[in-house]
Amino acid sequence: MAMWVFGYGSLIWKTGFPFDDRLPGFIKNYRRVFHQGSTDHRGTPEFPGRTVTLEPAPGEICWGVAYKITKEEDKKDALLHLEVREKQYDQKEYLDFFIDINDSEPAVSGVMVYIASSDKKSNNNYLGPAPFEDIAKQIVKAEGPSGPNRDYLFNLEEALVQLGFKDKHVTDLATHVRLILYAATKDV
């Protein structure tokens, strides 16, 4: 039986595990938000970066990519990789995955999705909502072992564009971060 993993953040452009198939598509009733703190990849404990998580949003969809893994050894490798990489995400959900906006039946049921919950007891890196300007400034300034937080945002924006997906939150945030960076060069 195949294992399926849904990527809605960096898994879209940087998988890090072997897979047999890659399907662009979406999950329903969730939206992507920059509410998760990153203290190990795109920030530090002293100044966390912001990465995406999902929050329930009835009627909305979140575009991303589902990866199919069939070989037992590859499944083990993928889970080992994901448990380390996604360690700050405290929930795993198994959701329906769709590839066509007009489909009423999912292309795949039971796609594994890592989610960072808003429960501060189980997820001490949850930052939650903040004013748009504050999120953008934090992304501009944060940097961690995996590089600047803004690169995460720009890579996500580019990966979604390459797949033909639109995410207003990601696009608006990337545009605003670029404006802050541009303004900073004018102040020098």
Side-chain angles (χ1 to χ4, degrees), residues 14-112:
K14 186 179 177 185
T15 315
F17 55 83
F19 57 90
D20 300 296
D21 200 4
R22 178 181 192 261
L23 289 178
F26 61 92
I27 57 173
K28 293 181 177 181
N29 299 315
Y30 285 91
R31 78 171 141 235
R32 180 184 1 251
V33 291
F34 279 83
H35 292 180
Q36 177 65 7
S38 175
T39 58
D40 61 343
H41 288 290
R42 297 296 180 164
T44 64
E46 298 76 33
F47 197 86
R50 280 188 175 262
T51 56
V52 292
T53 187
L54 298 174
E55 68 179 13
E60 293 193 36
I61 61 173
C62 177
W63 293 98
V65 177
Y67 297 96
K68 180 182 182 182
I69 307 157
T70 56
K71 297 179 190 131
E72 289 305 315
E73 190 63 31
D74 290 348
K75 289 179 195 178
K76 288 177 190 170
D77 289 347
L79 284 172
L80 279 171
H81 175 78
L82 290 166
E83 290 300 319
V84 171
R85 178 177 175 163
E86 307 297 330
K87 67 180 178 259
Q88 293 186 344
Y89 289 68
D90 60 319
Q91 289 182 349
K92 271 191 268 190
E93 298 287 334
Y94 296 87
L95 304 173
D96 289 338
F97 176 79
F98 299 82
I99 56 175
D100 188 303
I101 203 77
N102 297 312
D103 288 347
S104 58
E105 295 297 316
V108 182
S109 289
V111 174
M112 184 171 58

Side-chain angles (χ1 to χ4, degrees), residues 160-181:
L160 291 170
V161 166
Q162 286 180 358
L163 290 167
F165 302 151
K166 290 185 167 67
D167 185 312
K168 185 173 174 10
H169 179 62
V170 172
T171 303
D172 289 352
L173 195 52
T175 299
H176 199 71
V177 164
R178 284 187 187 93
L179 289 172
I180 292 170
L181 292 168

